[in-house]
Amino acid sequence: MNYEPLLQLFVDKPGEYVSGEVISQELGVSRTAIWKQIRKLEGAGYQFEASRRLGYRLLSIPDQLSVEALSSRLDAQTFGKTLHWFDTVESTQNLARAAAEEGAEEGTLFIAEQQVSGRGRMGRGWVSPRGKGVWMSMVLRPSVPIHFAPQLTLLTAVALCRSLKRLTSLPIGIKWPNDLLIDGKKISGILLESAAEDERLRYVIAGIGISVNLEQLDYPAELLDKATSLRISSGTKWDREDVIADFLKEWEQLYFLYQEQGFGLIITLWEALSVSLGKSVRLVTPQGEMVGVPIGLDDSGAIRIKLADGTIKPVFSAEMGEPL
Amino acid sequence: MNYEPLLQLFVDKPGEYVSGEVISQELGVSRTAIWKQIRKLEGAGYQFEASRRLGYRLLSIPDQLSVEALSSRLDAQTFGKTLHWFDTVESTQNLARAAAEEGAEEGTLFIAEQQVSGRGRMGRGWVSPRGKGVWMSMVLRPSVPIHFAPQLTLLTAVALCRSLKRLTSLPIGIKWPNDLLIDGKKISGILLESAAEDERLRYVIAGIGISVNLEQLDYPAELLDKATSLRISSGTKWDREDVIADFLKEWEQLYFLYQEQGFGLIITLWEALSVSLGKSVRLVTPQGEMVGVPIGLDDSGAIRIKLADGTIKPVFSAEMGEPL
């Protein structure tokens, strides 16, 4: 890998201090210019130790995905076959959408080290600091009509939950429709944006955010009781390439199985992983609030809510509260 | 209305010839410049008669919508309350979509005299010559989940069919899902483009093309046995402002009724107007071909097809052929 000249000086002497004088001579720049460059590298995730007497010492380089290594590990037919990696983007979702409008193929994947305007549901933001998570969006072109788009949301949650549980052995569950939780705290977000022409889906952009190696200090204070990461929950760092490769494989398998065999299998898997069933909750729907017990999914992907009077109502769209 | 100076000379003397000499003197331009301007006006739909001896005579000015007149006739609460009129656009659909992404309100309407790249279904074109039809797109923000988007397509076809039948008394019927036909020939096109985030519809762009006053010569030869217009079918010209005002009123009423009371009423109205029911047809679906008899709509908006073995299959998305 080629580093910029300043960084190369440190990489060449791992763990050693390099004095300001040496740097000045080697690069022909002032002490102030060196200090500014160090600050810039720190902003990009490099960590230095500074000593007035000894100079600077490189402590750690940021975790960065290798596209080559990742590509060679993906044995997917379609998912991630075309892979676009970026250091910093506004939002991978916007990039993927623009590509889909231009005709990008199914499986085209956009991954970024950090997003400066990561997007969550309902116009909310998404915390996506550099090198600490999986921030990616993929183009899907499913051959199902628009009625079935919500099924893809549930399918994606199932695939992500299964792959993360297998990899980390953490107690991860799905909150309806597609949030992944550990002990009630969110570790990932899934956002599917659909574009349809009459009943025909033109494309779906699946945005996936996985909080892999975020630490407490990466979250704003008000999110600390709502969000966690694989690292916070397990106490160890995880290889993001493992996370991506495992998930894409699982996701692709379920996706093609679903298109061949229908939604039945996904219902079974989703219900087995769900933490939303059997407990009374409040639901805020566009038509108003209700309280009831979610008991499962129906064939269309709606959640079946058992009301106090015993009737069962399918709910397509709602904000689901905590168990009462 | 203010015309450009050349046109004003003709408008001031209706039916009379204006000689090249007079025009030259009045406007201080050459004979060649006059000829070029006349050609330009002809391109914009004005018709002139030229006489070597007498000069030019204005025969007809193009049919042009008056935004003021139209707006004053619309008694809609929402539909068309904000109205953007254009002479020439690529496609009203693209304008409305861009506006929706920027936050345009429900009911914001884009109308053009002509579209140079009018869009139909499946990437097909749409013949939209100047001043001869209603070429428009409206922003909808329905409070229903994505499952129900196809119901809006059927609702729009019902509203358009009802309003055109009332206005023209022509025998107009609906071919599933949303084509309006007279004697098997298409007189309008409806294209609903949906943008959704998970199960939540962000917006729907409803594109409406109504072939009001097109003549045979406006169609390419290969469309003549498939397409007609109100004018061709009835032998008379129709006021486009009548067509628009009537339709918007009917459409808005059904739209709000549907959101209050559900899809049941729309099923009843659609089935009453349909020409697709009761006759054996071939359907090409993404999953393959089938032959069967459409017998009605189901609660989700799928068409129910009775197969040869008596089973009934809901079809969400297909190209439906002519009756066998």
Side-chain angles (χ1 to χ4, degrees):
Chain A
M1 202 178 227
N2 286 314
Y3 293 95
E4 49 179 302
L6 174 62
L7 203 50
Q8 196 66 47
L9 291 178
F10 292 102
V11 170
D12 290 345
K13 298 184 176 174
E16 290 181 29
Y17 275 99
V18 185
S19 74
E21 199 182 340
V22 168
I23 303 173
S24 255
Q25 284 174 2
E26 292 274 342
L27 304 183
V29 294
S30 73
R31 296 289 182 100
T32 315
I34 295 167
W35 180 79
K36 281 186 182 162
Q37 276 202 54
I38 294 279
R39 293 309 300 263
K40 207 173 141 197
L41 287 166
E42 284 176 342
Y46 294 85
Q47 289 185 299
F48 290 90
E49 193 167 63
S51 154
R52 188 180 291 266
R53 198 168 53 82
L54 300 170
Y56 298 95
R57 191 160 72 100
L58 178 60
L59 294 178
S60 72
I61 63 177
D63 188 10
Q64 184 164 303
L65 291 167
S66 157
V67 178
E68 295 75 19
L70 185 57
S71 291
S72 72
R73 286 185 56 180
L74 298 179
D75 53 0
Q77 297 288 309
T78 307
F79 283 25
K81 210 174 148 195
T82 303
L83 194 162
H84 300 284
W85 175 91
F86 297 86
D87 182 82
T88 304
V89 300
E90 291 285 320
S91 136
T92 57
Q93 200 72 351
N94 294 353
L95 288 176
R97 184 157 69 170
E101 286 287 348
E102 298 294 317
E105 280 183 2
E106 174 155 282
T108 304
L109 186 64
F110 293 82
I111 303 189
E113 295 293 339
Q114 75 174 342
Q115 301 183 102
V116 293
S117 308
R119 290 204 281 116
R121 299 182 76 191
M122 312 280 286
R124 295 178 197 132
W126 184 260
V127 177
S128 338
R130 176 187 298 280
K132 295 201 165 178
V134 173
W135 324 126
M136 65 186 195
S137 297
M138 197 167 70
V139 177
L140 295 173
R141 297 191 182 275
S143 61
V144 299
I146 188 173
H147 292 75
F148 297 139
Q151 300 182 348
L152 295 172
T153 294
L154 299 164
L155 181 157
T156 305
V158 166
L160 185 56
C161 190
R162 280 167 60 87
S163 71
L164 289 179
K165 276 174 83 94
R166 193 169 46 219
L167 186 71
T168 67
S169 301
L170 286 165
I172 306 170
I174 304 174
K175 182 190 166 196
W176 182 79
N178 62 9
D179 282 344
L180 264 51
L181 304 184
I182 300 177
D183 293 334
K185 294 181 179 182
K186 197 163 165 171
I187 55 155
S188 69
I190 293 169
L191 179 69
L192 261 67
E193 292 185 280
S194 306
E197 189 181 286
D198 291 334
E199 69 290 344
R200 194 175 63 87
L201 275 176
R202 290 173 54 228
Y203 61 80
V204 174
I205 305 302
I208 313 288
I210 313 171
S211 301
V212 180
N213 292 324
L214 282 81
E215 297 163 272
Q216 302 269 3
L217 55 83
D218 290 313
Y219 289 105
E222 69 271 20
L223 284 184
L224 279 176
D225 59 341
K226 292 185 195 148
T228 184
S229 72
L230 298 180
R231 181 176 184 175
I232 294 170
S233 293
S234 67
T236 53
K237 281 185 77 174
W238 296 90
D239 183 336
R240 289 183 298 152
E241 289 166 20
D242 287 345
V243 171
I244 296 168
D246 236 60
F247 166 56
L248 288 180
K249 190 174 175 179
E250 178 78 27
W251 194 18
E252 183 178 83
Q253 278 174 0
L254 282 185
Y255 180 76
F256 288 108
L257 210 58
Y258 158 75
Q259 294 202 54
E260 272 171 45
Q261 303 185 5
F263 189 50
L265 172 68
I266 306 300
I267 294 180
T268 308
L269 294 174
W270 189 93
E271 289 180 352
L273 294 167
S274 171
V275 295
S276 298
L277 302 182
K279 298 165 201 154
S280 191
V281 290
R282 187 180 310 277
L283 293 141
V284 182
T285 79
Q287 286 74 43
E289 281 193 28
M290 68 171 85
V291 171
V293 180
I295 56 171
L297 299 177
D298 75 7
D299 287 346
S300 67
I303 191 152
R304 295 159 63 227
I305 305 293
K306 190 168 185 177
L307 303 178
D309 65 2
T311 58
I312 291 168
K313 197 177 158 64
V315 170
F316 294 95
S317 175
E319 291 279 302
M320 185 184 281
E322 299 298 309
L324 297 173
Chain B
M1 202 177 228
N2 285 314
Y3 294 95
E4 50 179 302
L6 174 62
L7 203 50
Q8 196 65 48
L9 291 178
F10 292 101
V11 171
D12 289 346
K13 298 181 177 175
E16 291 181 29
Y17 276 99
V18 185
S19 73
E21 199 182 340
V22 169
I23 302 173
S24 254
Q25 283 173 2
E26 293 273 342
L27 304 182
V29 295
S30 73
R31 296 289 181 101
T32 314
I34 295 166
W35 179 80
K36 281 187 184 163
Q37 276 201 55
I38 294 278
R39 294 307 302 262
K40 206 172 140 197
L41 286 167
E42 284 176 342
Y46 294 85
Q47 289 184 300
F48 290 91
E49 194 168 62
S51 154
R52 188 180 291 267
R53 198 167 54 81
L54 301 171
Y56 298 96
R57 191 160 73 101
L58 178 60
L59 294 178
S60 71
I61 62 176
D63 188 10
Q64 184 165 302
L65 291 166
S66 157
V67 178
E68 295 75 18
L70 186 56
S71 291
S72 72
R73 287 184 57 179
L74 298 179
D75 53 0
Q77 296 288 309
T78 307
F79 284 25
K81 209 174 147 194
T82 303
L83 194 163
H84 300 284
W85 175 91
F86 297 85
D87 182 82
T88 305
V89 300
E90 292 283 320
S91 135
T92 56
Q93 200 72 352
N94 294 353
L95 287 176
R97 184 157 68 170
E101 286 288 349
E102 297 294 316
E105 280 184 2
E106 174 155 281
T108 304
L109 186 64
F110 293 82
I111 302 188
E113 296 293 338
Q114 76 174 339
Q115 300 183 103
V116 293
S117 309
R119 291 203 281 117
R121 299 182 77 192
M122 313 280 285
R124 295 179 197 131
W126 183 262
V127 177
S128 336
R130 177 189 298 280
K132 295 200 164 179
V134 173
W135 324 126
M136 66 186 195
S137 298
M138 196 168 70
V139 177
L140 295 173
R141 299 193 180 274
S143 62
V144 298
I146 189 173
H147 293 74
F148 298 138
Q151 301 182 347
L152 295 172
T153 294
L154 299 163
L155 181 157
T156 305
V158 166
L160 185 55
C161 189
R162 281 167 60 88
S163 71
L164 289 179
K165 276 174 84 93
R166 192 169 46 219
L167 187 70
T168 67
S169 301
L170 286 165
I172 306 170
I174 304 173
K175 182 189 166 197
W176 183 80
N178 62 10
D179 283 342
L180 264 50
L181 305 183
I182 300 177
D183 293 334
K185 295 181 179 181
K186 197 162 163 170
I187 54 154
S188 68
I190 293 170
L191 179 70
L192 261 67
E193 292 185 281
S194 306
E197 189 181 287
D198 293 333
E199 71 289 345
R200 194 174 63 87
L201 275 177
R202 290 173 54 228
Y203 61 80
V204 174
I205 304 302
I208 313 287
I210 313 171
S211 301
V212 179
N213 292 324
L214 282 80
E215 298 163 272
Q216 302 269 3
L217 55 81
D218 289 314
Y219 288 106
E222 69 272 19
L223 284 184
L224 279 177
D225 59 341
K226 292 184 195 149
T228 184
S229 72
L230 298 180
R231 181 176 183 173
I232 294 170
S233 294
S234 67
T236 52
K237 282 185 75 175
W238 296 90
D239 183 336
R240 290 182 298 152
E241 289 166 18
D242 287 345
V243 170
I244 296 168
D246 236 59
F247 166 57
L248 288 179
K249 190 174 175 180
E250 178 78 27
W251 193 19
E252 182 177 85
Q253 278 174 358
L254 281 184
Y255 180 76
F256 288 108
L257 211 58
Y258 158 76
Q259 294 203 55
E260 271 171 46
Q261 303 185 5
F263 188 50
L265 172 68
I266 307 300
I267 294 179
T268 308
L269 293 174
W270 189 93
E271 289 180 352
L273 293 168
S274 171
V275 296
S276 298
L277 302 182
K279 298 165 202 155
S280 192
V281 289
R282 187 180 310 277
L283 292 141
V284 183
T285 79
Q287 286 73 44
E289 281 191 28
M290 68 172 85
V291 171
V293 180
I295 56 171
L297 299 177
D298 75 7
D299 287 346
S300 68
I303 192 153
R304 294 159 63 228
I305 305 293
K306 190 169 185 176
L307 303 177
D309 65 2
T311 58
I312 291 168
K313 197 176 158 66
V315 170
F316 294 94
S317 175
E319 291 280 301
M320 185 184 281
E322 299 299 308
L324 297 173

